[in-house]
Amino acid sequence: MVWLLTLCAATIAAVTPLLAQPAESTLTPWTQGNLVPFSLDALSGDRHDLAADRGHAVLVHFFATWCEPCRAEMTALQRFAERTAGKPVTILAIDVGEVDLRVRRFFAAQPVTFSILLDRDRALVKSWQVDALPTTIVLDRTLTPRFVVAGDFDWDQPAADRMLDDLTKTESSEEPPLAPARTRSAIRENDR
Amino acid sequence: MTMHRRGFLQTGAAVAAAAMLPRTASAAGAFNPAPQAWRNFQVVTRLEIANQAGRLQAWIPVPSVNEDAWFRSLDSTWTSNAKSAALMHDPASGAAFVHAEWSEGESAPVVEVTSRISTRDRAIDLAAPGSATLSDAERKRYTAGTELIPVDGIVKQTADKITAGATSELDKARAIYEWIVDNTFRDAKTRGCGSGDIAAMLKTGNLGGKCADLNALFVGLARASGLPARDIYGIRVAASRFGYKSLGANADIITKAQHCRAEAFLTGYGWMAMDPADVRKVVLEEPPGNLPAADAKVADARKTLFGAWEGNWLAYNMAGDIALPGSSGPKVAFLMYPQAEGSAGRLDCLDADNFKYVITAKEIVA
């Protein structure tokens, strides 16, 4: 018993720091390089090619219906979609690894106006190295990844609108959509 | 894949601290499964699929595990109005299932599969290692990574930390088992048995889930440590004779009683029963619920489920990443639930009431 408890205590102490801390759900600048474009089936039955969204800022939002924070965030994302209607912004909500039927039932009870895509075999989350749900990756108008939020995010906060405003004002891929320092500052201000 | 839950570290810390408390006296060693008489069970899985147009198929798992010491898959028979129904095996793993396909226009597709098994308790005497060995091919198979259970990266790093200082295979297995019990938690909101994406669990620090998560984590950490290990997918078929309400099927209908367990192979001892996920189930669910680690029932389960388990459970198979023949959908991570697919896609196997299917079990007493 003594050796067991000793070993147990030692391993817990040694390993706990190795585990990732739960992510702060804030937008952080993307630092991991380019992502491979995708083409996925949509819940509507169509096929959606990311390349078709060039010219828009794109929120690529990964979720699952079983994920409790995802469900709450989906309603905020819908409000965000309504606020940004008419602007060059596309929201793509990508369900991960669930059967179509379940996703269809979920959105029948909670309709949204943006596209629902299906990563049935998890190939996209593996390719994009998305480890947890929900996760949102924000692409600029050239489809270059600019921000990521790992965890549920408050899409009602003004910083979200400002971030999208800045991204959608960008005209050229040669010109950064906004200075990272300014973005981080703006978001932190709103997080208080 | 896991979901964020900010409360994890606090919860984990509390459990870990509780685990350090002195244990109270156990309930007179009440939880002591040991190989004695075999018990026979009949399990019936009935699918009645409604509202499906076009081509309809179903895949119903049947028991295919045969282990001399604790489990025998006997026969499986079926009745159906399908145009074809056959017993099939996954070529990679040997996992067995009945594959049925109905004619288009069948108004009331139904299939009923009846399986018989023999099972009994298992336990290993840690004081008396034998001479069990594993072939090189089996050792390679059961230390390899899979799609959801990688054995490199953060899994390997975590395993190395957990087993640092452990000098024997037994010490390694013990360290990993205790770490799982201390650091994970059963999340009642997890659908089904969980998804088993262990790298995501470790990367996010969210170590909540159910058996397919927690025991898969054991398997991955063990494999990453060089210990052969495997998951076994099954379903509880009877109440616990040891008084654990949370560790048994407490009614004839067992539709939602799926449970997967784990094994590790230790040279000399052979395959050993491992079920740290069920320790966490006792913590969460054993009445009155949310038991402290020092509770006698938790302590008993923790002690027992390293090397033993009760034979009130049916083992379907040990297969992962199974391609369903004839399906146009993705592979299934494991085959523990009936599956079906119509022209509109795959049905939700975790939604038995709408699917729909019912699984019943009864003990056959001579």
Side-chain angles (χ1 to χ4, degrees):
Chain A
M1 178 62 75
V2 172
W3 77 265
L4 176 61
L5 290 177
T6 305
L7 177 62
C8 196
T11 53
I12 292 167
V15 175
T16 299
L18 187 68
L19 295 175
Q21 302 290 316
E24 288 292 325
S25 294
T26 55
L27 283 159
T28 54
W30 182 261
T31 58
Q32 299 175 48
N34 287 331
L35 295 167
V36 177
F38 61 79
S39 177
L40 289 173
D41 287 342
L43 194 60
S44 62
D46 299 328
R47 186 83 179 169
H48 189 95
D49 193 335
L50 178 63
D53 298 312
R54 185 172 291 275
H56 282 205
V58 185
L59 267 63
V60 184
H61 176 72
F62 295 91
F63 76 101
T65 64
W66 51 262
C67 158
E68 193 177 4
C70 299
R71 291 197 292 267
E73 186 178 7
M74 196 62 72
T75 58
L77 208 51
Q78 173 58 23
R79 288 193 294 273
F80 182 78
E82 289 164 5
R83 282 203 310 281
T84 56
K87 296 182 180 178
V89 176
T90 298
I91 299 172
L92 302 175
I94 300 179
D95 179 84
V96 178
E98 296 189 282
V99 295
D100 301 10
L101 184 64
R102 179 167 178 81
V103 185
R104 194 164 287 118
R105 281 195 183 127
F106 177 82
F107 285 105
Q110 185 179 324
V112 294
T113 54
F114 43 85
S115 295
I116 310 300
L117 309 184
L118 302 162
D119 186 20
R120 298 187 182 100
D121 59 359
R122 302 165 181 255
L124 183 60
V125 290
K126 284 175 208 154
S127 169
W128 283 30
Q129 299 187 350
V130 172
D131 294 324
L133 300 178
T135 287
T136 306
I137 298 172
V138 183
L139 314 179
D140 67 17
R141 295 171 73 168
T142 69
L143 303 184
T144 302
R146 292 298 185 183
F147 300 99
V148 60
V149 54
D152 49 327
F153 184 71
D154 177 10
W155 292 99
D156 292 325
Q157 62 181 297
D161 292 359
R162 282 206 297 275
M163 180 269 296
L164 256 297
D165 284 344
D166 286 342
L167 283 181
T168 53
K169 282 175 190 164
T170 304
E171 296 295 333
S172 164
S173 62
E174 303 302 317
E175 183 184 340
L178 71 174
R182 179 186 163 197
T183 307
R184 283 198 294 273
S185 171
I187 292 167
R188 281 181 186 150
E189 184 183 336
N190 258 282
D191 286 340
R192 290 192 188 109
Chain B
M1 185 63 55
T2 188
M3 82 179 166
H4 287 277
R5 186 170 301 282
R6 289 178 181 155
F8 159 72
L9 282 184
Q10 290 177 330
T11 306
V15 172
M20 296 297 104
L21 294 172
R23 293 182 183 178
T24 56
S26 73
F31 192 22
N32 56 353
Q36 296 175 357
W38 289 84
R39 301 173 73 186
N40 298 312
F41 291 90
Q42 176 178 286
V43 175
V44 178
T45 303
R46 182 177 177 83
L47 278 64
E48 294 181 68
I49 304 170
N51 304 320
Q52 290 296 316
R55 184 187 187 200
L56 177 66
Q57 305 176 82
W59 300 262
I60 303 99
V62 300
S64 55
V65 171
N66 282 290
E67 295 290 324
D68 291 342
W70 58 272
F71 194 83
R72 299 170 183 157
S73 295
L74 302 177
D75 56 357
S76 289
T77 59
W78 56 91
T79 59
S80 178
N81 58 2
K83 71 175 182 184
S84 66
L87 181 66
M88 303 188 75
H89 293 84
D90 173 52
S93 64
F97 50 89
V98 172
H99 179 206
E101 182 171 356
W102 286 267
S103 301
E104 291 193 24
E106 173 55 57
S107 59
V110 60
V111 59
E112 183 172 290
V113 179
T114 301
S115 298
R116 294 187 308 120
I117 59 151
S118 289
T119 182
R120 65 175 179 172
D121 296 355
R122 66 185 294 197
I124 206 154
D125 184 354
L126 294 175
S131 57
T133 59
L134 205 59
S135 71
D136 289 346
E138 287 179 303
R139 182 170 292 277
K140 184 177 179 183
R141 174 181 176 185
Y142 294 117
T143 53
T146 68
E147 195 166 327
L148 286 179
I149 306 181
V151 294
D152 55 4
I154 194 169
V155 181
K156 174 67 173 162
Q157 294 165 35
T158 308
D160 287 348
K161 291 281 188 180
I162 293 170
T163 58
T167 56
S168 68
E169 291 181 342
L170 185 59
D171 287 349
K172 285 185 180 179
R174 175 84 76 181
I176 294 167
Y177 174 91
E178 299 292 346
W179 188 87
I180 299 280
V181 172
D182 285 327
N183 289 279
T184 69
F185 64 96
R186 180 177 174 85
D187 186 346
K189 291 176 180 170
T190 298
R191 287 198 84 215
C193 290
S195 64
D197 189 345
I198 68 168
M201 294 171 73
L202 293 172
K203 284 178 184 172
T204 61
N206 178 2
L207 299 186
K210 288 185 180 170
C211 62
D213 302 308
L214 309 191
N215 283 342
L217 189 54
F218 174 87
V219 169
L221 293 169
R223 289 186 176 192
S225 303
L227 283 178
R230 60 192 183 188
D231 281 305
I232 309 178
Y233 301 98
I235 190 166
R236 301 182 206 269
V237 294
S240 170
R241 290 180 291 113
F242 298 98
Y244 281 88
K245 190 171 182 181
S246 60
L247 300 187
N250 300 303
D252 292 343
I253 295 176
I254 59 167
T255 303
K256 297 180 181 177
Q258 287 81 7
H259 177 56
C260 49
R261 288 172 160 170
E263 288 184 316
F265 188 92
L266 276 63
T267 304
Y269 297 100
W271 285 107
M272 281 179 57
M274 298 281 162
D275 201 344
D278 259 0
V279 182
R280 298 306 319 188
K281 192 166 194 287
V282 169
V283 169
L284 181 68
E285 295 180 7
E286 194 64 24
N290 293 310
L291 300 180
D295 182 273
K297 278 201 157 184
V298 176
D300 255 3
R302 181 177 191 148
K303 179 182 174 186
T304 299
L305 293 171
F306 181 84
W309 66 45
E310 185 179 355
N312 60 342
W313 174 77
L314 176 156
Y316 283 125
N317 57 63
M318 304 175 186
D321 302 337
I322 298 177
L324 301 174
S327 169
S328 59
K331 292 180 179 178
V332 291
F334 41 77
L335 188 58
M336 188 163 45
Y337 301 88
Q339 300 282 343
E341 189 173 291
S343 56
R346 200 165 283 172
L347 276 62
D348 186 354
C349 68
L350 301 182
D351 186 2
D353 294 340
N354 286 303
F355 188 111
K356 72 179 185 182
Y357 63 85
V358 176
I359 307 174
T360 56
K362 71 174 179 182
E363 186 162 10
I364 302 168
V365 181

